[in-house]
Amino acid sequence: MNKNKGYFYLTCSAYLLTIILDLLFTYIATPNLLLEGNPLYNQTNFGWTGLIAINVITFVGYVAMSWYAFIKYKPPITNETDFKRYLSLINYGDADKYVPMMWKLPKNWGPQTACLCWSVVCVLPFCRMIIVLEWFLMILRIRNAFTVTFFTIVSLFPLGRIDIVLAILGAWILSFVWIKKEFKNNLKQIEKRQSSN
């Protein structure tokens, strides 16, 4: 099994585990779902059937993103060792066509899609664990300095959805990590080709 397939299975397993824990703790904390804060559920109000259906759909979407990021996407082979030229080449098909801050839509959508999918896939299990932690603390009814501070911070976010805000922020930060990682991999491929010649 290659490394990317391992990452695919690892991320999908981690996200599935967080879904199971979230649903289990939700059932323990609020079997009638009065405390459920999932905005998609609140719009449908189909009870447990709707909540489970939403989680199945989001898991399928997550698997699709993970599959694209780790299995489907094949980075372009380039000879560019300059970062700006590399970005220009993979996004616009022309190394001389540098667009600062990517304000112009790319010609090649593959790298952009892979970057988005990779970033979201990496951040979501951690953000989902925040919800699991919230339920866990509510079930145990622990009241100490940590829980008071934690729930005070959570309450500052719209509808208490700190996980959504952190997911957006985390995915944005991780997109820069992905770009740097891909550029380093490109440099390694160049070195391999040069050493084999």
Side-chain angles (χ1 to χ4, degrees), residues 26-188:
T26 301
Y27 181 76
I28 294 169
T30 178
N32 56 9
L33 294 174
L34 286 177
L35 300 176
E36 177 56 42
N38 186 320
L40 294 174
Y41 166 77
N42 291 335
Q43 296 299 316
T44 59
N45 201 19
F46 289 146
W48 277 101
T49 304
L51 186 61
I52 290 170
I54 288 167
N55 278 279
V56 168
I57 291 166
T58 55
F59 180 67
V60 169
Y62 182 91
V63 170
M65 287 190 294
S66 186
W67 174 79
Y68 189 86
F70 294 114
I71 309 292
K72 171 73 174 166
Y73 176 71
K74 303 297 181 208
I77 298 169
T78 79
N79 290 317
E80 290 300 334
T81 56
D82 178 77
F83 184 67
K84 287 182 179 180
R85 290 178 61 81
Y86 169 75
L87 282 181
S88 302
L89 185 62
I90 67 168
N91 288 302
Y92 301 104
D94 184 350
D96 295 320
K97 204 177 206 178
Y98 179 68
V99 179
M101 300 303 292
M102 299 288 296
W103 61 267
K104 187 178 175 185
L105 291 177
K107 180 180 175 184
N108 305 321
W109 281 95
Q112 296 294 316
T113 306
C115 178
L116 175 65
C117 289
W118 186 89
S119 303
V120 169
V121 159
C122 289
V123 80
L124 276 186
F126 295 102
C127 293
R128 192 78 185 249
M129 278 306 292
I130 294 171
I131 300 170
V132 171
L133 177 61
E134 286 179 37
W135 285 127
F136 182 72
L137 294 173
M138 286 174 68
I139 291 166
L140 295 181
R141 296 182 182 183
I142 298 171
R143 187 157 180 83
N144 56 29
F146 169 77
T147 57
V148 170
T149 305
F150 177 74
F151 283 111
T152 301
I153 293 169
V154 168
S155 69
L156 297 175
F157 291 83
L159 302 174
R161 296 312 302 249
I162 186 174
D163 57 305
I164 294 174
V165 175
L166 290 180
I168 293 167
L169 183 62
W172 178 71
I173 292 168
L174 284 175
S175 66
F176 296 100
V177 174
W178 183 89
I179 292 167
K180 189 174 180 180
K181 175 181 74 75
E182 288 299 305
F183 179 62
K184 282 185 176 178
N185 287 340
N186 184 68
L187 293 177
K188 284 179 186 174

